[in-house]
Amino acid sequence: MALDGDETVVGGDSQPPVTTAAATTEEKAIARLSPFPNMEHISDNYGDLELEYSSAMLSSLEKYLPPEMLTATREEKAKFMSDILRKYISRDECSKAKWCKNYWQKIKSNYQPLSRELYNFDPELFLLPSFRKAISENTKESFRRIISEPFPGVLVFQMFQPDFFQKLIVEVENIGKWVHETNFPIRRPYHMSKYGVAFVDFGLDIMLQQLMEEFLFPICKVFFPEECGAMFDSHHGYYIENGEDRDPPLGYHLDDSEITLNVCVRKQFEGGEISFIGTRCLRHKRTDVKPEEVFHYCHSPGQAILHRGRHRHGPRANTPSCSRANMILCCRNSLFREMEKYEKDFPEWCNECAHEKKEKESQSLAAKRKGMIRIATGGKA
């Protein structure tokens, strides 16, 4: 079974320190973050400043600034956060960030977008009224009105207007044309891809950030509360095309995400079903598939599927005649990943852990029953 990731470095294993009530005078002089994010605070954009860390990273971290720093200037906040990050992010990671910034700047200076509406995402223009209404009500009942769950942990719904797909296709085709004409070497979403487009490289990450925070997180908080936690703190979005003259589909794999949004942008001919084959924690990611875990779903154009990144999935069969294009948004929660390393109990969402827990409970119950029988028979059993 192939297990693929996009090899994106999200951060180190260490976590920045947080302010405590028992902080000493010496400790107070050290730059520290707040233990909880201020979700009402609107973060600044640092893209126009000459910094060693990405604007997206600083914008995400800004919500954790201590209250007295939230009203500081952008330059002061950037310095404060950079001083902290410098202690926890290696020079290699800093070098990679600088390379990315120069790479993005070259694209920004040379590529001319066609569908500029995508770069200034307007929910009323691109999202269905029924979807926006459900999000505004923000209840499990309102979500259930627009979402079906054909299999546990697989949520299916409609969220985008048809015009969104048309503009996205036109923009991706324009990117491909520009790459071909200029022979500019762009990064691809994953190592096997030759035609996919990573949205962050062309400035579309702002659209994805808005979708993740304002529209997907409320749903995930209801249906996947453990994985999403208090907030998603990073994402990876891309456009992928599979077919005879495009990228071959990935085999069965896990996503490098806590929650994945998979939107079918277009599809031609029959086939191309998605198969889900069981949710697994890292310890059990290569274990065998059980028949009751298998679920096949025919993904239709316009449909969005929301599922755990650890829900193993892939094409049911490679059908050469089937051509499809999908928009993928991988939502990540670094705190969930860090806490998972210290998880001692069985994660409820892992099918294999649930099986092991049931087996362990059965063995324990059998041992108790055997002990009671031995006592009742005076030790003769």
Side-chain angles (χ1 to χ4, degrees):
M1 177 180 293
L3 299 172
D4 295 287
D6 64 3
E7 301 180 359
T8 299
V9 178
V10 180
D13 292 339
S14 301
Q15 295 293 314
V18 297
T19 304
T20 62
T24 64
T25 303
E26 182 180 356
E27 288 174 326
K28 290 179 180 178
I30 302 174
R32 292 179 181 274
L33 298 175
S34 172
F36 304 105
N38 184 336
M39 300 305 294
E40 297 180 357
H41 176 72
I42 300 176
S43 299
D44 281 322
N45 188 306
Y46 298 87
D48 60 322
L49 299 180
E50 291 293 331
L51 301 169
E52 57 186 308
Y53 301 105
S54 70
S55 174
M57 182 182 293
L58 295 181
S59 295
S60 297
L61 194 61
E62 186 176 328
K63 294 181 183 294
Y64 287 88
L65 287 177
E68 64 273 14
M69 283 300 302
L70 291 176
T71 55
T73 65
R74 282 194 312 156
E75 290 74 10
E76 290 172 334
K77 288 188 287 188
K79 183 181 183 304
F80 184 90
M81 291 185 285
S82 295
D83 288 343
I84 292 175
L85 290 171
R86 207 170 287 118
K87 301 174 184 178
Y88 297 92
I89 300 180
S90 69
R91 288 188 176 183
D92 287 343
E93 290 172 310
C94 288
S95 296
K96 181 179 179 181
K98 288 182 179 180
W99 181 91
C100 286
K101 185 174 182 179
N102 292 332
Y103 167 78
W104 292 330
Q105 188 58 48
K106 289 179 182 177
I107 293 178
K108 185 177 180 181
S109 301
N110 293 281
Y111 175 71
Q112 297 298 321
L114 278 184
S115 305
R116 293 193 176 274
E117 299 93 335
L118 295 175
Y119 297 81
N120 299 288
F121 189 79
D122 183 351
E124 293 189 6
L125 184 64
F126 290 129
L127 297 179
L128 293 170
S130 57
F131 179 77
R132 287 188 281 110
K133 185 174 186 294
I135 297 298
S136 65
E137 293 178 10
N138 196 22
T139 64
K140 188 172 185 178
E141 291 71 25
S142 69
F143 297 149
R144 283 294 186 190
R145 288 201 301 267
I146 63 167
I147 294 174
S148 64
E149 192 172 7
F151 191 79
V154 179
L155 308 183
V156 180
F157 51 96
Q158 302 272 354
M159 63 184 294
F160 291 108
Q161 299 272 15
D163 190 49
F164 171 79
F165 299 114
Q166 295 171 9
K167 291 186 181 300
L168 184 63
I169 291 170
V170 168
E171 191 64 36
V172 170
E173 289 176 347
N174 189 53
I175 291 172
K177 180 182 177 183
W178 175 77
V179 170
H180 178 73
E181 291 177 350
T182 61
N183 201 29
F184 188 90
I186 66 170
R187 300 186 302 174
R188 299 299 180 178
Y190 50 88
H191 68 281
M192 290 173 55
S193 175
K194 295 181 180 179
Y195 299 93
V197 174
F199 288 134
V200 65
D201 293 347
F202 291 86
L204 287 166
D205 56 316
I206 298 175
M207 172 189 74
L208 299 182
Q209 184 82 14
Q210 186 177 357
L211 285 173
M212 181 179 72
E213 292 181 349
E214 298 180 16
F215 299 98
L216 296 182
F217 181 75
I219 296 174
C220 294
K221 196 170 183 179
V222 170
F223 294 99
F224 306 107
E226 185 177 356
E227 288 84 355
C228 72
M231 65 182 290
F232 291 125
D233 51 23
S234 66
H235 62 80
H236 174 55
Y238 57 93
Y239 183 96
I240 190 70
E241 292 183 89
N242 300 129
E244 192 170 7
D245 60 344
R246 284 294 182 261
D247 290 330
L250 287 171
Y252 289 115
H253 61 281
L254 302 177
D255 292 332
D256 185 14
S257 71
E258 272 56 69
I259 302 296
T260 296
L261 175 74
N262 183 343
V263 182
C264 184
V265 178
R266 64 179 175 186
K267 186 172 78 168
Q268 294 179 323
F269 309 112
E270 294 300 319
E273 288 183 306
I274 300 176
S275 294
F276 292 89
I277 56 171
T279 308
R280 294 290 189 274
C281 64
L282 292 178
R283 188 162 62 94
H284 294 120
K285 64 183 181 181
R286 297 186 184 277
T287 52
D288 293 336
V289 181
K290 296 178 176 59
E292 63 271 19
E293 296 179 308
V294 179
F295 172 66
H296 307 297
Y297 187 77
C298 185
H299 204 183
S300 301
Q303 281 186 334
I305 299 179
L306 199 65
H307 62 85
R308 291 181 175 89
R310 303 287 178 78
H311 202 153
R312 299 184 298 187
H313 59 284
R316 184 177 185 180
N318 293 335
T319 308
S321 61
C322 180
S323 174
R324 65 178 182 179
N326 294 69
M327 184 184 85
I328 310 295
L329 176 56
C330 297
C331 307
R332 296 164 176 160
N333 178 355
S334 56
L335 180 59
F336 176 84
R337 297 182 179 209
E338 186 68 17
M339 294 301 293
E340 188 182 9
K341 297 176 184 178
Y342 307 100
E343 183 71 54
K344 295 182 179 180
D345 297 327
F346 296 94
E348 295 182 1
W349 48 266
C350 174
N351 297 146
E352 193 66 22
C353 280
H355 176 74
E356 287 186 0
K357 182 178 181 180
K358 188 175 181 180
E359 286 291 315
K360 190 174 181 179
E361 289 174 347
S362 297
Q363 292 173 6
S364 177
L365 185 61
K368 289 181 180 179
R369 186 181 292 112
K370 188 174 181 179
M372 293 175 66
I373 293 175
R374 184 179 294 110
I375 292 173
T377 56
K380 296 179 180 180

